[in-house]
Amino acid sequence: MPIPWAGRDDKARRYGISSGRWRTLKRIVTTRDNGCCYRCGIGQPDAEDDPDGEHQHQLDHITPIFEGGAVEDLDNLGLICEPCHTVKSKAEALRANRARRTRT
């Protein structure tokens, strides 16, 4: 199965916002949510446990953009851990593929 969003890591091209704005939104959401994944509640690792930042939670659109979610709405943004993000992204890719097939 292809990786969702493969080759589209540029936030400006994907969402129409700068990477600086994305980082600002992530800081706001991280503070608001106390660094916890909105799906499972696990906290992100401390900096000393993850010095290169490889395992920090990602900023995620709770309702995907293709399903009508708003790009910068804080109510539609949450932190998500890597395992939860993988599961959620696969489910979203399946829904997007089904929607594309029904339109054609």
Side-chain angles (χ1 to χ4, degrees):
M1 171 177 263
I3 299 169
W5 306 113
R8 291 181 41 189
D9 290 335
D10 182 350
K11 304 298 186 263
R13 283 197 319 219
R14 190 185 323 168
Y15 303 125
I17 61 176
S18 70
S19 58
R21 176 68 179 144
W22 192 250
R23 283 189 303 273
T24 297
L25 291 168
K26 184 175 182 183
R27 275 193 305 275
I28 292 167
V29 172
T30 298
T31 300
R32 179 195 70 194
D33 297 349
N34 297 310
C36 295
C37 174
Y38 74 88
R39 289 182 59 111
C40 72
I42 193 169
Q44 41 187 8
D46 292 328
E48 62 265 7
D49 294 332
D50 185 27
D52 53 2
E54 223 175 277
H55 301 288
Q56 295 298 301
H57 294 351
Q58 298 169 17
L59 186 60
D60 182 55
H61 290 102
I62 297 166
T63 300
I65 305 307
F66 79 90
E67 291 180 346
V71 174
E72 293 190 53
D73 182 356
L74 292 174
D75 290 335
N76 190 40
L77 292 170
L79 291 180
I80 192 166
C81 67
E82 191 174 333
C84 287
H85 198 218
T86 299
V87 170
K88 182 176 180 277
S89 293
K90 285 180 182 179
E92 288 171 355
L94 288 172
R95 289 196 309 270
N97 288 335
R98 277 192 211 114
R100 263 193 299 279
R101 280 192 292 256
T102 58
R103 278 184 271 161
T104 58

